[in-house]
Amino acid sequence: MALAQAARPKLAKVRAGSVLLGPAFVAAIAYVDPGNVASNISAGAQFGYLLVWVIVAANLMAGLVQYLSAKLGLVTGMSLPEAVREKTSRPVRLAYWGQAELVAMATDLAEVVGGAIALHLLFGLPLLVGGLITGVVSLGLLLVQDKRGQRPFERVITGLLAIIAIGFLVGVFVEPPSASGTFGGLVPRFQGTESVLIAAAMLGATVMPHAVYLHSGLARDRHGQPEGAQRKRLLKVTRYDVGLAMLLAGAVNLSMVLLAATNLQGQEGVDSIEGAHAAVGQALGPVVALLFAVGLLASGLASTSVGAYAGAMIMQGLLRKRIPLLLRRLVTLAPAIVVLATGVDPSRALVVSQVVLSFGIPFALVPLIKLTGDRNLMGEHANHRVTMGLGWVVASVIITLNVALIWLTFTG
């Protein structure tokens, strides 16, 4: 009896803390979108366990980046785009917004195309029709956020994240990967130009620019700009929020690579999502293939909604302009519909879109690291020197990989 009474305050404290979780799980959708599926499946099918280390490193980087983004929103009461606006001149701001919009379109392309492929796999719908349906459903999810607020939107997105996790983790349990191959894949190395391209795509699909912009606004909108002890408590809760969300996203991403490395390596035609789906069905059975397709559909629907939400936050923060939700959705949807209508290989378009995202990462990371290290802006919560060092290492690794990609592409 006494033990039960002693445990109650602790249980109540855990419950109170869990209510504050959520923003990181919305941002984490960006880390398990259809672009991740395409790049991770391509990595495992073409190179086996070679690039396992990229997934692990990318998720560690993402955890640090997402915490810094949330911290910026909680401490300053500004989203990252708003903070950039305060620090830049109008010409720089407009140029910065231009690249951010290109990144948002590349993001939407991957997510809508992924949703279209999933609907084709599940119901045999033409890709163009599937893309339009994905766009319409994502608009409905955005209306939930617009009309009902952030909490219901978080619940819907977190539910879709659970479906994604089930859809992609099951295959690994049905056919466990090689332990020696998995641990061997933790050694950083490449194998030719194509492996660098895939690694850049994996990195772009994991440390996604729009998620960096978005998390600062999500944390601010959920918690406001707390002060004193409440702020310290929320920053502590945010570390758990980010850690749990990145752990789940990392497990899903790793499962994709391991699934392909175990069951698809060396097979022809499995470098596309459709080919991978068919091969998974042959190797692991129709139930696993069905869950794979359902996970892909949930990924497309959730991630395109979150991506459009981020695009609106970027425009509002940098330009202080709001445009109607429907118009915003149509603008970012257009490139994906063009790709689907013109017959471009959708899986290849997904991978290339992730490379575009990789090039947009430094434009989000460099301002984030500088701003969160600014004592005039962040006060006592400015980054520690170790955190600043790690942040600059992350940015340097990503920029170096992009430069290497350009060099190898044009000289290889």
Side-chain angles (χ1 to χ4, degrees):
M1 186 71 174
L3 287 174
Q5 289 178 341
R8 282 172 189 166
K10 293 182 180 180
L11 184 60
K13 188 175 180 180
V14 170
R15 286 175 178 169
S18 66
V19 171
L20 301 175
L21 302 177
F25 285 83
V26 175
I29 284 291
Y31 298 91
V32 289
D33 79 341
N36 290 84
V37 180
S39 56
N40 293 337
I41 292 294
S42 293
Q46 292 184 52
F47 300 103
Y49 300 97
L50 179 76
L51 299 177
V52 165
W53 68 273
V54 177
I55 283 295
V56 174
N59 275 275
L60 291 173
M61 294 179 190
L64 173 63
V65 169
Q66 292 306 134
Y67 174 69
L68 293 182
S69 178
K71 183 171 77 166
L72 178 71
L74 287 173
V75 174
T76 67
M78 294 187 288
S79 67
L80 177 57
E82 289 170 340
V84 170
R85 187 186 191 283
E86 294 297 316
K87 297 287 186 178
T88 55
S89 62
R90 180 176 172 79
V92 173
R93 202 158 55 235
L94 288 173
Y96 189 91
W97 169 74
Q99 65 80 30
E101 282 296 322
L102 289 175
V103 165
M105 289 183 181
T107 301
D108 218 28
L109 187 151
E111 292 155 353
V112 172
V113 169
I117 294 173
L119 288 170
H120 175 70
L121 294 174
L122 288 168
F123 306 110
L125 294 178
L127 290 175
L128 181 57
V129 174
L132 291 171
I133 291 174
T134 301
V136 170
V137 174
S138 68
L139 179 61
L141 293 175
L142 286 170
L143 287 172
V144 170
Q145 190 278 331
D146 193 49
K147 302 297 184 184
R148 303 289 298 276
Q150 187 172 328
R151 291 292 293 277
F153 182 68
E154 285 179 6
R155 293 190 187 102
V156 172
I157 296 300
T158 302
L160 288 171
L161 179 59
I163 294 172
I164 296 165
I166 293 169
F168 292 112
L169 286 169
V170 166
V172 175
F173 288 101
V174 172
E175 185 66 36
S178 161
S180 60
T182 303
F183 284 109
L186 294 174
V187 179
R189 61 197 190 280
F190 294 108
Q191 188 177 305
T193 303
E194 183 68 13
S195 69
V196 178
L197 173 65
I198 296 296
M202 294 165 75
L203 195 61
T206 306
V207 189
M208 296 188 77
H210 77 280
V212 180
Y213 297 120
L214 178 65
H215 202 164
S216 55
L218 287 172
R220 184 269 318 273
D221 292 345
R222 169 68 103 84
H223 303 301
Q225 188 181 1
E227 299 289 341
Q230 186 186 10
R231 177 188 289 173
K232 291 182 178 179
R233 177 170 178 252
L234 283 172
L235 287 172
K236 182 178 180 180
V237 170
T238 296
R239 285 194 285 272
Y240 287 111
D241 193 25
V242 171
L244 290 171
M246 289 299 101
L247 181 62
L248 178 58
V252 173
N253 279 316
L254 183 58
S255 73
M256 296 176 195
V257 177
L258 298 180
L259 176 71
T262 304
N263 300 285
L264 310 181
Q265 186 181 8
Q267 296 185 37
E268 293 185 5
V270 296
D271 53 346
S272 68
I273 291 178
E274 298 97 319
H277 173 263
V280 166
Q282 291 176 357
L284 303 178
V287 174
V288 176
L290 175 63
L291 291 173
F292 180 98
V294 170
L296 178 65
L297 179 59
S299 169
L301 294 176
S303 57
T304 191
S305 305
V306 171
Y309 185 15
M313 184 178 289
I314 291 167
M315 174 176 278
Q316 184 181 344
L318 287 170
L319 304 183
R320 289 186 179 169
K321 291 185 181 294
R322 285 181 177 268
I323 63 174
L325 189 63
L326 179 59
L327 179 58
R328 173 81 210 178
R329 194 71 199 89
L330 291 174
V331 169
T332 54
L333 186 62
I337 298 303
V338 169
V339 167
L340 294 172
T342 53
V344 174
D345 177 13
S347 292
R348 188 64 179 177
L350 281 175
V351 174
V352 172
S353 72
Q354 302 312 293
V355 177
V356 173
L357 294 182
S358 188
F359 284 101
I361 294 169
F363 292 98
L365 280 190
V366 172
L368 176 66
I369 297 167
K370 291 183 68 175
L371 289 167
T372 52
D374 185 348
R375 288 206 168 273
N376 292 326
L377 181 67
M378 301 292 290
E380 64 176 313
H381 299 291
N383 294 338
H384 188 274
R385 282 181 294 180
V386 174
T387 305
M388 287 295 288
L390 289 173
W392 288 123
V393 167
V394 169
S396 299
V397 167
I398 294 171
I399 293 169
T400 300
L401 184 59
N402 289 336
V403 171
L405 174 61
I406 295 173
W407 173 259
L408 290 171
T409 298
F410 290 101
T411 62

